[in-house]
């Protein structure tokens, strides 16, 4: 695959990686020195909701006839 | 269509990086504190990637339908499947949001959510795409759906489903 094509694919992948960074890890230092990490899916629910709306909108506009 | 294939390839690349954790440079596990949430992080990354992959699948079939390359019936079948995947993904996100580690109960719930979805995706890939006559459209839809399948399989491996 030509080098420029690889660069193009990486360029297209970057926004997806940035969206993937919507997973935020909250840190909490415990009294025993260990660390607890929790996951906050800040945008993932929005993406799923947008997918549901897109599919529902099309299905509503194209009922089985 | 060439651009669409590039986008799908980019999506696969990004999804792979998300699953392997390379997209999370901020997290550095410590030697003294075994990370209790490794599985949770992988599941969360898969949930994000599944949402993005389903969006790409939907855009692919809706665009092909609008160009007359995909019948309403086939588009409806694939979008109904994508709707089920998105609804399962939304429920999985709600299950994993804000927790610190995956417990056995949550793993069981996630496995129950995705088992029928994985079967439906497998069935569609095996026989549901037969009506698609345009080869470029068939390749694009198959690639998009295979990406979704790979992400679901990856999630199932993490949760032992």
């Amino acid at each position: 695959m030509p080098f420029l094509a690889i660069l193009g694919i990486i360029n297209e992948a970057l926004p997806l990686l940035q969206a993937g960074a919507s997973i935020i890890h909250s840190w909490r230092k415990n009294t025993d020195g260990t660390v607890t990490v929790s996951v906050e899916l800040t945008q993932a629910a929005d993406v799923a909701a947008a997918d549901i709306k897109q599919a529902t909108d099309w299905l509503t506009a194209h009922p089985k006839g | 269509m060439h651009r669409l294939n590039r986008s799908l390839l980019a999506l696969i690349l990004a999804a792979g990086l998300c699953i392997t954790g390379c997209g999370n440079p901020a997290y550095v596990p410590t030697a003294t504190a075994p990370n209790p949430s490794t599985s949770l992080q992988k599941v969360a990354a898969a949930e994000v990637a599944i949402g993005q992959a389903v969006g790409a699948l939907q855009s692919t079939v809706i665009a092909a339908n609008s160009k007359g390359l995909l019948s309403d019936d086939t588009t409806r079948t694939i979008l109904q499947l994508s709707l089920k995947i998105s609804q399962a993904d939304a429920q999985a996100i709600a299950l994993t949001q804000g927790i610190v580690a995956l417990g056995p109960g949550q793993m069981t719930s996630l496995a129950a959510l995705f088992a029928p979805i994985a079967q439906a995706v497998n069935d569609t890939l095996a026989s549901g795409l037969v009506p698609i006559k345009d080869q470029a459209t068939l390749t694009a839809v198959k690639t998009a759906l295979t990406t979704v399948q790979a992400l679901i399989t990856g999630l199932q491996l993490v949760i032992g489903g």
Side-chain angles (χ1 to χ4, degrees):
Chain A
M1 185 179 289
F3 179 67
L4 282 177
I6 294 172
L7 277 183
I9 290 169
I10 291 172
N11 187 48
E12 289 185 35
L14 282 178
L16 295 173
L17 286 174
Q18 285 166 349
S22 66
I23 305 167
I24 297 173
H25 303 96
S26 303
W27 291 71
R28 179 164 56 81
K29 187 85 176 276
N30 302 318
T31 52
D32 62 357
T34 59
V35 173
T36 301
V37 184
S38 67
V39 171
E40 300 294 338
L41 292 154
T42 54
Q43 294 172 10
D46 291 341
V47 173
D51 290 346
I52 289 170
K53 183 180 185 313
Q54 181 173 238
T56 304
D57 285 351
W58 192 95
L59 291 167
T60 303
H62 301 79
K64 193 167 185 177
Chain B
M1 189 54 69
H2 177 66
R3 180 165 175 75
L4 189 61
N5 284 336
R6 279 169 51 103
S7 297
L8 287 170
L9 195 53
L11 180 65
I12 293 169
L13 175 66
L17 288 174
C18 281
I19 288 290
T20 56
C22 295
N24 178 26
Y27 176 73
V28 180
T30 61
T32 54
N35 177 16
S37 62
T38 301
S39 296
L40 177 60
Q41 290 178 3
K42 287 180 180 174
V43 167
E47 289 168 351
V48 173
I50 287 171
Q52 293 165 344
V54 169
L57 171 66
Q58 290 180 346
S59 298
T60 299
V61 297
I62 290 173
N65 176 264
S66 68
K67 292 174 187 167
L69 299 171
L70 204 59
S71 69
D72 279 1
D73 280 348
T74 305
T75 305
R76 189 177 295 110
T77 299
I78 296 171
L79 287 181
Q80 283 170 340
L81 171 64
S82 77
L83 193 55
K84 287 178 186 170
I85 300 169
S86 294
Q87 287 167 340
D89 196 35
Q91 289 179 60
I93 290 165
L95 267 172
T96 48
Q97 174 84 348
I99 62 175
V100 296
L102 283 173
Q106 284 146 337
M107 294 236 196
T108 303
S109 298
L110 288 170
L113 264 178
F114 281 101
I117 300 298
Q119 187 60 53
V121 171
N122 293 345
D123 291 347
T124 302
L125 274 169
S127 59
L129 305 182
V130 173
I132 304 176
K133 301 303 176 198
D134 179 69
Q135 280 304 306
T137 302
L138 176 60
T139 300
V141 172
K142 193 179 281 186
T143 303
L145 197 52
T146 302
T147 302
V148 174
Q149 181 191 44
L151 290 166
I152 291 173
T153 302
L155 187 148
Q156 288 180 307
L157 284 174
V158 173
I159 60 177

